[in-house]
Amino acid sequence: NFSIESVSSESSIDRAENVLDNDNSTFWQTDGDAKKATICIKFSEPIEVEKVEIVNAGCAFIELFLGTNPSLQHSDSVALARITSVMSIGEVKSKQNTNRLKVFETQNLSADDRKKKYSYLTIICTQPFAPASPIGLASIKISPRTSVAQVPSLGPSVAAALSSNSRPSSPSRYSNGDDDEHIKKRSTSPVPAITSIQTTRQQPQVQQQQ
């Protein structure tokens, strides 16, 4: 679970908590026109982060930081994304594409930072272009990394089939059955005579066609 740790400004109607309600029709907006705004999300427990999905609501640029402390001055603060454009100056002026989706994956981090567990996500929003207006975000979705222990185990029938060294006598749902039928035909066919083998060797083109 996630909650709002802090926010630099919020409207009395469009509250910061709206970014966590999984509803893009609601959003967080600053209380009045703003060129910069910051929101910090707290995790209920430290987690390894797989990705963060952001739906915009009027920002021109955003920056994302992960950490074990809400302060960006803390030594373990990691930049998931430096200044990233989410609206062009033309879109700001025309008020178009204000709710663009951006996805940030932790695979871009170093191997060490990717394996760390974090407790906070801080997002800095800016909109330096005219005309000035309230800015914010519509949605923030944080996806934890799935560990091996969390992957559902295979059913007993599938596990038994995978652990068996013998090939099933009937076609499985993982094949079209052609290979099984080919094996059956070979097993019931008599061993070719030596003369047949010699004849086959004299006709390499026929073998290639087969």
Side-chain angles (χ1 to χ4, degrees):
N1 295 328
F2 308 98
S3 60
I4 304 299
E5 171 69 13
S6 63
V7 63
S8 60
S9 174
E10 64 179 341
S11 163
S12 59
I13 299 175
D14 301 316
R15 307 295 299 273
E17 60 194 29
N18 290 341
V19 300
L20 300 174
D21 63 6
N22 294 316
D23 182 358
N24 291 343
S25 66
T26 64
F27 42 84
W28 156 58
Q29 291 277 269
T30 55
D31 185 19
D33 297 348
K35 291 186 176 181
K36 181 178 181 180
T38 303
I39 186 169
C40 181
I41 307 299
K42 181 180 180 179
F43 310 163
S44 59
E45 61 181 3
I47 61 171
E48 293 180 30
V49 177
E50 178 72 24
K51 63 181 178 180
V52 177
E53 299 171 68
I54 304 292
V55 177
N56 191 27
C59 302
F61 304 97
I62 56 177
E63 296 178 80
L64 282 71
F65 297 88
L66 293 167
T68 59
N69 187 288
S71 173
L72 296 182
Q73 305 303 319
H74 198 270
S75 59
D76 74 342
S77 180
V78 174
L80 177 57
R82 291 295 182 180
I83 299 176
T84 302
S85 174
V86 284
M87 285 180 70
S88 67
I89 185 171
E91 290 171 330
V92 170
K93 291 183 176 182
S94 62
K95 297 188 182 299
Q96 294 181 335
N97 300 321
T98 59
N99 59 345
R100 181 175 282 120
L101 168 67
K102 285 283 187 178
V103 180
F104 302 91
E105 298 183 347
T106 54
Q107 65 181 12
N108 298 322
L109 299 178
S110 68
D112 290 339
D113 288 339
R114 193 164 57 246
K115 294 177 182 178
K116 289 180 181 178
K117 290 188 176 182
Y118 299 98
S119 300
Y120 297 91
L121 169 69
T122 300
I123 303 175
I124 300 175
C125 306
T126 54
Q127 202 294 86
F129 309 126
S133 63
I135 60 175
L137 301 171
S139 174
I140 301 173
K141 183 179 179 181
I142 303 161
S143 299
R145 186 183 305 279
T146 303
S147 64
V148 176
Q150 293 175 309
V151 177
S153 60
L154 297 174
S157 60
V158 178
L162 292 175
S163 61
S164 175
N165 292 326
S166 61
R167 188 183 182 89
S169 59
S170 60
S172 70
R173 63 188 179 91
Y174 299 105
S175 68
N176 58 15
D178 293 342
D179 292 339
D180 295 314
E181 186 64 25
H182 180 62
I183 290 174
K184 290 179 182 178
K185 288 180 180 180
R186 290 186 60 185
S187 63
T188 57
S189 301
V191 177
I194 295 178
T195 55
S196 298
I197 296 175
Q198 293 174 345
T199 303
T200 303
R201 288 178 178 173
Q202 294 172 358
Q203 299 176 352
Q205 293 182 354
V206 176
Q207 284 186 332
Q208 292 176 0
Q209 290 174 359
Q210 291 177 347

